[in-house]
Amino acid sequence: MILTPSMTGISSPEPLQHAFKVKSAPHAGRSGSRPANVTPEQWQQWWQQPSESEQRALYIHIPFCRKRCSFCNFFENGANPQRISDYMQQLCQQLSVAASSPFAQSQPFDTVYIGGGTPTDIQATEIAMLGAAVNRFPLVDNAEVTLEGRLNGFDDDKWHSALDAGFNRFSFGVQSFDTEVRRAAGRFDDKAQLLQRLSTLSQHDSASIVVDLIFGLPGQTLSIWQHDLQAVLDSDVHGVDLYQLIGLGGTRIDRASDKGKILGTDSSEFQADSQTRAQMYAYGAEYLESNQWQRLSSCHWRRDARERSIYNSLAKSGIEILPFGAGAGGSIHGHSMMNARSLTEWHQAQQQPCTIGNGATLSTPHNVPGMMFTPNPSAKLDAIFKRGLDSGKLQFNQLETHLVEQLQPLFEAWQSHGLAQLSSNALTLTLAGRFWNVNMQTGLFEFLTENKS
């Protein structure tokens, strides 16, 4: 039986700070697939075949931003109005055609997520056009339809256009409410503007308003973080995500670090280390829950039942996700895929039509998708592990008995190291375990790979 510290963590009187060295990735997974060679003819046939997935989602990517934030390595394209207009016209045309296919019509969609980039940078008329295209797909009653973006530039015209088009969830990347920290990070607006706008939007009687916060930003002390969390409560939003800053390559923060510098604020060059970020997470979790916010996952809380977080929950469950737009990722008929990131390649691919029935056309995949992989034979099992550990509780009745027995040494090590509590029917993560849950997922997949029976 192979057990390593990368799987189990280490023994420490303070597991929250020291069980692992650092969180090195935002997500965990294991490679169970290989590149798939799908011909244009096969791609056409897929759109003729019904879906076998009981739950489905749409993911639509808007790859434009007005400004590159210091912590982001996902920036793709500047927000040139003409480029956005051309893209939105082509995207909505593709969505409308795809929605009419037998594949799309065969099962309803539980949730839709418009991500980016900064989707709120598109115009009010384009939001309306996008909503109309989305509504051509069969959606379940009260489907969750999320528009992601930033508050700056999201004026009343865009807000009302989105509501009229059927969007009922809005996720805003606030990152920090502190004005100096925000300016250093490349964000618009100050704290007072954010609070005023969020409070106004949150008064709507049906839409869910969610904000993302990042802990560990340059200049963000523990005191500033505490004020950030109080601002969440003051803003009246319905949900919040607490994300740890990850040292991703290619960011302005990363480049400054390579030069031995901290990309801080005018008044502080402080940047939290891993141990301080652990304390920030613990304070955030305990503060929200002491104010009766319900934890839905290791990083997401809600004030009331209006916030459902359906897309984020189902995406961890291995459901079918139809991806549209340059750089969008998802899965079709069990094949994971990602569309080409290049706008030029994506537009070129849209000019190559193929028949999908009833005279309708859909672009052939000569350049889209950019990557496609064969079905992962462990996809359903991996989804159980990821969903369970992310929620904080892995129920053993979802697993084969022999697998629970195989994993027992790993589970016992986690318990010994203060990361989990083990019972006869479940593994429940401690606060420290929830903070390190991505490392634990990675360790579990490594354990299964190294200890194949």
Side-chain angles (χ1 to χ4, degrees):
M1 184 66 64
I2 300 174
L3 281 172
T4 65
S6 62
M7 303 173 189
T8 65
I10 63 172
S11 178
S12 168
E14 297 179 329
L16 177 68
Q17 289 90 352
H18 299 290
F20 293 91
K21 184 177 180 181
V22 68
K23 179 182 178 183
S24 57
H27 307 290
R30 59 172 165 173
S31 178
S33 305
R34 60 184 186 278
N37 182 21
V38 177
T39 67
E41 291 74 22
Q42 289 174 307
W43 182 246
Q44 295 175 42
Q45 291 172 4
W46 282 1
W47 291 90
Q48 299 281 2
Q49 299 167 358
S51 171
E52 296 181 358
S53 181
E54 293 182 359
Q55 293 181 296
R56 298 206 288 174
L58 292 176
Y59 177 78
I60 301 168
H61 198 61
I62 312 294
F64 302 94
C65 293
R66 280 180 288 150
K67 193 172 185 180
R68 181 169 189 163
C69 300
S70 66
F71 51 84
C72 179
N73 71 343
F74 301 112
F75 183 90
E76 293 290 341
N77 308 285
N80 177 282
Q82 187 59 54
R83 294 178 79 192
I84 294 177
S85 177
D86 292 343
Y87 180 83
M88 292 304 299
Q89 290 287 342
Q90 190 70 67
L91 175 66
C92 289
Q93 180 180 351
Q94 187 192 41
L95 284 166
S96 298
V97 172
S100 68
S101 69
F103 173 60
Q105 290 293 323
S106 62
Q107 294 284 350
F109 293 82
D110 298 81
T111 179
V112 181
Y113 197 96
I114 317 297
T118 312
T120 51
D121 278 349
I122 66 177
Q123 299 301 310
T125 53
E126 293 165 339
I127 292 175
M129 182 171 62
L130 180 58
V134 166
N135 284 308
R136 290 186 172 90
F137 288 85
L139 306 178
V140 300
D141 291 341
N142 199 28
E144 177 189 85
V145 186
T146 301
L147 183 68
E148 181 184 74
R150 70 170 94 227
L151 286 160
N152 181 271
F154 190 63
D155 57 25
D156 285 345
D157 284 345
K158 293 183 180 182
W159 166 242
H160 292 299
S161 179
L163 292 174
D164 291 343
F167 292 94
N168 54 22
R169 185 175 184 269
F170 298 84
S171 179
F172 296 110
V174 169
Q175 321 313 355
S176 174
F177 283 91
D178 185 85
T179 300
E180 287 193 22
V181 171
R182 289 178 56 77
R183 286 173 180 165
R187 306 297 290 178
F188 301 103
D189 296 334
D190 61 23
K191 181 176 182 178
Q193 291 171 308
L194 293 174
L195 287 173
Q196 188 278 325
R197 187 60 173 159
L198 286 171
S199 180
T200 298
L201 299 183
S202 297
Q203 301 313 308
H204 192 275
D205 59 3
S206 63
S208 175
I209 307 298
V210 181
V211 296
D212 293 345
L213 293 184
I214 295 177
F215 54 95
L217 289 167
Q220 185 187 43
T221 63
L222 181 57
S223 176
I224 289 174
W225 175 242
Q226 291 170 344
H227 284 95
D228 280 338
L229 291 160
Q230 180 58 49
V232 170
L233 271 61
D234 294 341
S235 70
D236 295 325
V237 297
H238 309 106
V240 63
D241 287 289
L242 306 184
Y243 293 126
Q244 180 181 181
L245 179 70
I246 303 296
L248 300 173
T251 67
R252 288 199 288 121
I253 291 176
D254 177 66
R255 290 196 295 270
S257 178
D258 287 344
K259 297 177 181 178
K261 300 179 180 179
I262 293 176
L263 196 66
T265 66
D266 294 339
S267 61
S268 172
E269 290 194 347
F270 170 83
Q271 185 165 0
D273 57 18
S274 180
Q275 289 72 43
T276 304
R277 294 198 298 270
Q279 292 177 309
M280 288 174 152
Y281 173 81
Y283 181 88
E286 292 168 349
Y287 187 75
L288 290 168
E289 289 163 30
S290 69
N291 281 278
Q292 287 72 56
W293 282 53
Q294 179 187 6
R295 177 174 56 83
L296 296 184
S297 74
S298 293
C299 64
H300 189 72
W301 287 260
R302 68 178 181 182
R303 178 164 60 89
D304 57 41
R306 178 185 303 189
E307 163 55 7
R308 296 175 292 166
S309 193
I310 295 174
Y311 180 87
N312 292 328
S313 175
L314 291 182
K316 297 181 179 75
S317 302
I319 67 165
E320 187 167 68
I321 301 176
L322 276 62
F324 293 93
S331 61
I332 291 180
H333 291 302
H335 291 70
S336 60
M337 55 177 285
M338 178 170 284
N339 294 338
R341 289 191 176 275
S342 163
L343 279 181
T344 299
E345 291 182 17
W346 185 83
H347 277 293
Q348 288 175 346
Q350 310 317 307
Q351 305 305 316
Q352 302 175 39
C354 67
T355 301
I356 61 172
N358 299 323
T361 60
L362 185 73
S363 299
T364 60
H366 294 294
N367 293 310
V368 180
M371 296 184 292
M372 181 169 286
F373 299 91
T374 59
N376 177 2
S378 303
K380 290 184 178 180
L381 178 61
D382 291 359
I384 292 173
F385 288 131
K386 293 169 72 172
R387 183 174 62 249
L389 293 177
D390 184 68
S391 71
K393 190 166 189 175
L394 180 62
Q395 299 281 1
F396 293 159
N397 61 6
Q398 298 182 6
L399 303 170
E400 297 289 342
T401 301
H402 72 90
L403 188 55
V404 176
E405 293 173 351
Q406 181 187 358
L407 288 164
Q408 198 73 9
L410 178 64
F411 294 161
E412 290 174 353
W414 284 346
Q415 179 170 256
S416 174
H417 295 163
L419 297 169
Q421 295 177 338
L422 186 60
S423 69
S424 60
N425 57 15
L427 180 84
T428 303
L429 301 193
T430 62
L431 178 64
R434 296 200 298 273
F435 176 71
W436 293 112
N437 89 87
V438 173
N439 296 64
M440 294 169 71
Q441 290 178 43
T442 301
L444 185 148
F445 294 140
E446 181 185 353
F447 178 88
L448 290 175
T449 299
E450 294 295 330
N451 296 280
K452 290 180 178 178
S453 56

